[in-house]
Amino acid sequence: MSDPQQLGAFPTTRLRRLRRHDWLRRAVAETVLTPADLIWPIFVHDHEAALPVPSMPGVERLPVEGVLRAAEEAIRLGIPALAIFPVVEPALKSDDGAHACDAENLACRTVRAIGQRFGDALGIICDVALDPYTTHGHDGLLADGQIQNDETVAVLCRQAVVLAEAGCHVVAPSDMMDGRVGAIRESLDEAGRDDVAILSYAAKYASAFYGPFRDAVGSAAALGTAAGQGLADKKTYQMNPANAAEALREVALDITEGADMVMVKPAGTALDVIQRVKTTFGLPTFAYQVSGEYAMIHAAADNGWLDGEAAALESILVIKRAGADCVLTYFAPELARRLGER
Ligand code: PBG
């Protein structure tokens, strides 16, 4: 922007003039949210009844049938895609997370069920990471108290191909291993799935805000047991929240390796990173408003301390203003309903 003095000065210039009426505020709004900006993360489990997530009021672990109903609602509301997160039965978890690569696992069955019912009318995004499947709750293979990078990448490639073959449109590696985007791209292409896109969780921080998610998928307790194996947190692979320049390096590498879209996560604590990623690289930039961000707004609203709906709307609007093209948020269905009412 040029010198603000040349753009006008009080009293000739009065910025409040454009804030006088609702129609005028809407007409000059720089950022507009639509349902197409929202991706709905969904938890699926292998039980017949829905099971609420206590730390995420309003969010439930759904049976596959329930996911199909959510999918139908998403289409009706104009939400472009669901992000599917399986809650894996403890008996199916193992040290090496092998069940992640089983074409009959819950994630694959859910993807197939959505695809059979709705075809390409609704996007399906699947996480690629081992944490739902490992007994220790880590996103990768654990040996000698360390996460094994290259061995993990080989498993992630198989997981990505299995999900692609089940029919998901986008695989989203959320594991933060080095080199996995390039390896996954190569594996997908070799499997004849060059049509499947990669949304890389390029800048994913080791954040305190994932707690409720880990409750929902049961990886919190698992991570507790990992403490016994010498690694109770994810700081050796997820990024230090102190760093932003490093986030740009992560994104640059992932683009070079073939990422179609990148994700910044969490969103609300990384608005600066979202903005820098978008302005530096210009490619589709997604942001994940994570479970803890959702839980905070809900907890305050449920106590009568905040207007929950207004706070949810504002929290997503500013993520888009920062530069996000699309926001993964547990508020997606209620916000899309509200946006549709205008
Ligand atoms: C796991 C994964 C996590 C989230 C999405 N994928 C948790 C983690 O890294 O421990 C968190 C999402 C949320 O908190 O809403 N790879």
Side-chain angles (χ1 to χ4, degrees), residues 43 56 85 127-132 137 139 174-175 201 204 209-214 219 223 234 238 265 288-292 330:
F43 298 112
M56 302 177 71
F85 294 97
D127 237 43
V128 174
L130 300 184
D131 55 304
D139 295 29
S174 71
D175 55 289
Y201 285 74
K204 176 171 177 178
F209 291 94
Y210 306 150
F213 176 97
R214 292 178 188 169
S219 63
L223 262 183
K234 301 190 176 184
Q238 298 179 349
K265 171 184 175 185
Y288 199 145
Q289 183 185 54
V290 299
S291 56
Y330 302 95

Short mmCIF file of all heavy atoms in Angstrom, two decimals, residues 43 56 85 127-132 137 139 174-175 201 204 209-214 219 223 234 238 265 288-292 330, ligand 1:
data_model
loop_
_atom_site.label_atom_id
_atom_site.label_comp_id
_atom_site.label_asym_id
_atom_site.label_seq_id
_atom_site.Cartn_x
_atom_site.Cartn_y
_atom_site.Cartn_z
N PHE A 43 -15.62 -39.01 12.01
CA PHE A 43 -15.09 -40.21 12.67
C PHE A 43 -16.04 -41.37 12.39
O PHE A 43 -17.25 -41.27 12.62
CB PHE A 43 -15.00 -40.01 14.19
CG PHE A 43 -14.07 -38.90 14.59
CD1 PHE A 43 -14.55 -37.72 15.16
CD2 PHE A 43 -12.70 -39.01 14.38
CE1 PHE A 43 -13.69 -36.70 15.53
CE2 PHE A 43 -11.83 -37.98 14.74
CZ PHE A 43 -12.32 -36.82 15.32
N MET A 56 -15.66 -33.26 22.46
CA MET A 56 -16.08 -32.53 21.26
C MET A 56 -17.60 -32.52 21.17
O MET A 56 -18.18 -33.27 20.37
CB MET A 56 -15.48 -33.17 20.01
CG MET A 56 -13.97 -33.24 20.02
SD MET A 56 -13.29 -34.08 18.57
CE MET A 56 -13.60 -32.87 17.30
N PHE A 85 -11.93 -40.34 9.18
CA PHE A 85 -10.98 -40.80 10.20
C PHE A 85 -11.54 -42.03 10.90
O PHE A 85 -12.56 -41.96 11.58
CB PHE A 85 -10.73 -39.69 11.23
CG PHE A 85 -10.04 -38.50 10.64
CD1 PHE A 85 -10.76 -37.39 10.22
CD2 PHE A 85 -8.66 -38.50 10.46
CE1 PHE A 85 -10.12 -36.29 9.65
CE2 PHE A 85 -8.02 -37.41 9.89
CZ PHE A 85 -8.75 -36.30 9.49
N ASP A 127 -6.88 -39.65 5.50
CA ASP A 127 -5.58 -39.50 6.15
C ASP A 127 -4.67 -40.67 5.81
O ASP A 127 -5.11 -41.82 5.79
CB ASP A 127 -5.80 -39.49 7.68
CG ASP A 127 -5.27 -38.24 8.33
OD1 ASP A 127 -5.50 -37.15 7.78
OD2 ASP A 127 -4.62 -38.35 9.40
N VAL A 128 -3.42 -40.37 5.55
CA VAL A 128 -2.42 -41.43 5.44
C VAL A 128 -1.46 -41.24 6.61
O VAL A 128 -0.73 -40.25 6.67
CB VAL A 128 -1.68 -41.36 4.09
CG1 VAL A 128 -0.55 -42.37 4.06
CG2 VAL A 128 -2.65 -41.60 2.94
N ALA A 129 -1.54 -42.15 7.55
CA ALA A 129 -0.69 -42.14 8.76
C ALA A 129 -1.05 -43.39 9.53
O ALA A 129 -2.13 -43.96 9.35
CB ALA A 129 -0.95 -40.90 9.62
N LEU A 130 -0.17 -43.82 10.41
CA LEU A 130 -0.40 -45.11 11.06
C LEU A 130 -1.05 -45.00 12.44
O LEU A 130 -1.40 -46.02 13.03
CB LEU A 130 0.93 -45.88 11.16
CG LEU A 130 1.61 -46.19 9.82
CD1 LEU A 130 2.86 -47.03 10.04
CD2 LEU A 130 0.64 -46.91 8.87
N ASP A 131 -1.21 -43.78 12.97
CA ASP A 131 -1.64 -43.66 14.37
C ASP A 131 -2.96 -44.36 14.72
O ASP A 131 -3.09 -44.84 15.84
CB ASP A 131 -1.65 -42.20 14.82
CG ASP A 131 -2.50 -41.32 13.92
OD1 ASP A 131 -2.25 -41.31 12.70
OD2 ASP A 131 -3.42 -40.65 14.42
N PRO A 132 -3.95 -44.44 13.83
CA PRO A 132 -5.16 -45.16 14.26
C PRO A 132 -4.89 -46.66 14.41
O PRO A 132 -5.67 -47.37 15.04
CB PRO A 132 -6.15 -44.93 13.12
CG PRO A 132 -5.59 -43.82 12.30
CD PRO A 132 -4.10 -43.89 12.48
N GLY A 137 0.29 -45.68 19.18
CA GLY A 137 -0.34 -44.42 18.83
C GLY A 137 0.50 -43.47 18.00
O GLY A 137 0.07 -42.34 17.71
N ASP A 139 2.45 -42.12 14.51
CA ASP A 139 2.10 -42.10 13.09
C ASP A 139 3.04 -42.98 12.27
O ASP A 139 2.80 -43.21 11.08
CB ASP A 139 2.20 -40.67 12.54
CG ASP A 139 1.16 -39.76 13.19
OD1 ASP A 139 0.78 -40.02 14.35
OD2 ASP A 139 0.73 -38.79 12.54
N SER A 174 -0.58 -37.31 6.81
CA SER A 174 -0.57 -36.42 7.98
C SER A 174 0.50 -36.86 8.97
O SER A 174 0.50 -36.47 10.13
CB SER A 174 -1.93 -36.44 8.68
OG SER A 174 -2.15 -37.68 9.31
N ASP A 175 1.44 -37.66 8.47
CA ASP A 175 2.40 -38.34 9.35
C ASP A 175 3.68 -37.55 9.60
O ASP A 175 4.39 -37.80 10.57
CB ASP A 175 2.81 -39.64 8.65
CG ASP A 175 3.33 -39.30 7.25
OD1 ASP A 175 2.51 -38.93 6.39
OD2 ASP A 175 4.56 -39.36 7.04
N TYR A 201 -0.20 -32.76 4.49
CA TYR A 201 -0.11 -32.02 5.74
C TYR A 201 1.34 -31.57 5.81
O TYR A 201 2.19 -32.22 6.42
CB TYR A 201 -0.41 -32.89 6.94
CG TYR A 201 -1.86 -33.26 7.19
CD1 TYR A 201 -2.52 -34.19 6.40
CD2 TYR A 201 -2.56 -32.71 8.27
CE1 TYR A 201 -3.84 -34.56 6.67
CE2 TYR A 201 -3.88 -33.08 8.55
CZ TYR A 201 -4.50 -34.01 7.74
OH TYR A 201 -5.79 -34.36 8.03
N LYS A 204 2.65 -29.35 9.74
CA LYS A 204 1.83 -29.85 10.84
C LYS A 204 2.65 -29.75 12.12
O LYS A 204 3.74 -30.31 12.23
CB LYS A 204 1.44 -31.30 10.58
CG LYS A 204 0.67 -31.93 11.73
CD LYS A 204 0.11 -33.28 11.36
CE LYS A 204 -0.59 -33.93 12.54
NZ LYS A 204 -1.18 -35.22 12.20
N PHE A 209 -3.27 -28.96 20.75
CA PHE A 209 -4.68 -28.83 20.39
C PHE A 209 -5.26 -30.08 19.71
O PHE A 209 -6.37 -30.04 19.21
CB PHE A 209 -4.89 -27.59 19.51
CG PHE A 209 -4.69 -26.31 20.26
CD1 PHE A 209 -3.46 -25.67 20.25
CD2 PHE A 209 -5.72 -25.75 21.01
CE1 PHE A 209 -3.25 -24.49 20.96
CE2 PHE A 209 -5.53 -24.58 21.72
CZ PHE A 209 -4.30 -23.95 21.70
N TYR A 210 -4.49 -31.17 19.65
CA TYR A 210 -5.03 -32.41 19.05
C TYR A 210 -5.65 -33.34 20.09
O TYR A 210 -6.11 -34.43 19.74
CB TYR A 210 -3.92 -33.20 18.32
CG TYR A 210 -3.14 -32.44 17.28
CD1 TYR A 210 -1.81 -32.76 17.01
CD2 TYR A 210 -3.72 -31.40 16.54
CE1 TYR A 210 -1.08 -32.08 16.04
CE2 TYR A 210 -2.99 -30.71 15.59
CZ TYR A 210 -1.67 -31.06 15.34
OH TYR A 210 -0.94 -30.38 14.40
N GLY A 211 -5.65 -32.93 21.36
CA GLY A 211 -6.09 -33.82 22.43
C GLY A 211 -7.45 -34.47 22.20
O GLY A 211 -7.56 -35.70 22.26
N PRO A 212 -8.49 -33.67 21.91
CA PRO A 212 -9.81 -34.30 21.74
C PRO A 212 -9.87 -35.29 20.58
O PRO A 212 -10.54 -36.32 20.66
CB PRO A 212 -10.74 -33.09 21.49
CG PRO A 212 -10.03 -31.93 22.14
CD PRO A 212 -8.56 -32.20 21.92
N PHE A 213 -9.14 -35.01 19.50
CA PHE A 213 -9.07 -35.95 18.37
C PHE A 213 -8.49 -37.28 18.83
O PHE A 213 -8.99 -38.35 18.48
CB PHE A 213 -8.20 -35.36 17.25
CG PHE A 213 -7.96 -36.27 16.07
CD1 PHE A 213 -8.73 -36.16 14.92
CD2 PHE A 213 -6.94 -37.21 16.09
CE1 PHE A 213 -8.50 -36.99 13.82
CE2 PHE A 213 -6.69 -38.05 15.00
CZ PHE A 213 -7.48 -37.94 13.86
N ARG A 214 -7.43 -37.20 19.63
CA ARG A 214 -6.79 -38.45 20.08
C ARG A 214 -7.73 -39.21 21.02
O ARG A 214 -7.70 -40.44 21.05
CB ARG A 214 -5.45 -38.14 20.74
CG ARG A 214 -4.43 -37.62 19.72
CD ARG A 214 -3.10 -37.26 20.35
NE ARG A 214 -2.24 -36.60 19.37
CZ ARG A 214 -1.09 -35.98 19.67
NH1 ARG A 214 -0.68 -35.94 20.93
NH2 ARG A 214 -0.38 -35.40 18.74
N SER A 219 -6.19 -42.81 20.23
CA SER A 219 -4.73 -42.85 20.16
C SER A 219 -4.08 -42.17 21.36
O SER A 219 -2.88 -42.29 21.57
CB SER A 219 -4.22 -42.24 18.85
OG SER A 219 -4.55 -40.89 18.76
N LEU A 223 -0.79 -43.54 22.96
CA LEU A 223 0.42 -42.73 23.11
C LEU A 223 0.95 -42.82 24.54
O LEU A 223 2.16 -42.78 24.77
CB LEU A 223 0.14 -41.27 22.78
CG LEU A 223 0.50 -40.76 21.39
CD1 LEU A 223 0.21 -39.27 21.31
CD2 LEU A 223 1.95 -41.03 21.03
N LYS A 234 5.00 -36.43 19.83
CA LYS A 234 5.30 -36.53 18.39
C LYS A 234 6.30 -35.48 17.94
O LYS A 234 6.37 -35.15 16.76
CB LYS A 234 3.98 -36.43 17.61
CG LYS A 234 2.98 -37.52 17.98
CD LYS A 234 1.78 -37.58 17.02
CE LYS A 234 0.84 -38.74 17.37
NZ LYS A 234 -0.27 -38.87 16.41
N GLN A 238 6.54 -34.09 14.15
CA GLN A 238 5.72 -32.90 13.93
C GLN A 238 6.55 -31.66 14.29
O GLN A 238 7.47 -31.72 15.10
CB GLN A 238 4.44 -32.99 14.75
CG GLN A 238 3.59 -34.19 14.33
CD GLN A 238 2.32 -34.36 15.14
OE1 GLN A 238 2.11 -33.71 16.16
NE2 GLN A 238 1.45 -35.24 14.67
N LYS A 265 -1.61 -26.87 9.84
CA LYS A 265 -2.41 -27.42 10.94
C LYS A 265 -1.65 -27.32 12.25
O LYS A 265 -0.47 -27.69 12.27
CB LYS A 265 -2.68 -28.89 10.60
CG LYS A 265 -3.31 -29.70 11.70
CD LYS A 265 -3.41 -31.12 11.26
CE LYS A 265 -3.94 -31.95 12.41
NZ LYS A 265 -3.98 -33.35 12.10
N TYR A 288 -6.46 -26.72 8.80
CA TYR A 288 -7.27 -27.62 9.62
C TYR A 288 -7.53 -26.94 10.97
O TYR A 288 -6.62 -26.76 11.76
CB TYR A 288 -6.50 -28.93 9.84
CG TYR A 288 -7.33 -30.12 10.28
CD1 TYR A 288 -7.01 -31.40 9.83
CD2 TYR A 288 -8.41 -30.01 11.15
CE1 TYR A 288 -7.72 -32.53 10.23
CE2 TYR A 288 -9.14 -31.12 11.54
CZ TYR A 288 -8.79 -32.38 11.08
OH TYR A 288 -9.50 -33.48 11.48
N GLN A 289 -8.79 -26.55 11.17
CA GLN A 289 -9.18 -26.08 12.49
C GLN A 289 -9.39 -27.34 13.33
O GLN A 289 -10.38 -28.05 13.16
CB GLN A 289 -10.47 -25.26 12.43
CG GLN A 289 -10.86 -24.70 13.81
CD GLN A 289 -12.20 -24.00 13.80
OE1 GLN A 289 -13.21 -24.58 13.38
NE2 GLN A 289 -12.23 -22.77 14.23
N VAL A 290 -8.45 -27.62 14.21
CA VAL A 290 -8.39 -28.96 14.82
C VAL A 290 -9.33 -29.10 16.01
O VAL A 290 -9.98 -28.13 16.45
CB VAL A 290 -6.95 -29.32 15.23
CG1 VAL A 290 -6.04 -29.33 14.00
CG2 VAL A 290 -6.42 -28.39 16.30
N SER A 291 -9.35 -30.31 16.52
CA SER A 291 -10.30 -30.69 17.57
C SER A 291 -10.24 -29.75 18.78
O SER A 291 -11.28 -29.38 19.33
CB SER A 291 -10.01 -32.13 18.00
OG SER A 291 -8.66 -32.28 18.41
N GLY A 292 -9.04 -29.36 19.19
CA GLY A 292 -8.92 -28.50 20.37
C GLY A 292 -9.46 -27.10 20.13
O GLY A 292 -10.00 -26.47 21.05
N TYR A 330 -14.79 -29.07 12.26
CA TYR A 330 -15.91 -29.84 12.80
C TYR A 330 -17.19 -29.00 12.84
O TYR A 330 -18.26 -29.53 13.08
CB TYR A 330 -15.54 -30.37 14.19
CG TYR A 330 -14.29 -31.23 14.15
CD1 TYR A 330 -13.04 -30.68 14.41
CD2 TYR A 330 -14.36 -32.57 13.78
CE1 TYR A 330 -11.88 -31.44 14.33
CE2 TYR A 330 -13.21 -33.34 13.70
CZ TYR A 330 -11.97 -32.77 13.97
OH TYR A 330 -10.83 -33.53 13.87
C1 PBG B 1 -3.03 -38.17 12.92
C2 PBG B 1 -3.89 -36.99 12.90
C3 PBG B 1 -4.10 -36.14 13.99
C4 PBG B 1 -5.05 -35.22 13.59
C5 PBG B 1 -5.39 -35.49 12.26
N1 PBG B 1 -4.64 -36.59 11.84
C6 PBG B 1 -3.59 -36.18 15.38
C7 PBG B 1 -2.17 -36.29 15.65
O1 PBG B 1 -1.32 -35.95 14.82
O2 PBG B 1 -1.88 -36.76 16.75
C8 PBG B 1 -5.60 -34.16 14.50
C9 PBG B 1 -6.86 -33.52 14.08
C10 PBG B 1 -7.57 -32.81 15.17
O3 PBG B 1 -7.04 -32.58 16.29
O4 PBG B 1 -8.71 -32.42 14.92
N2 PBG B 1 -2.10 -38.35 11.95
#
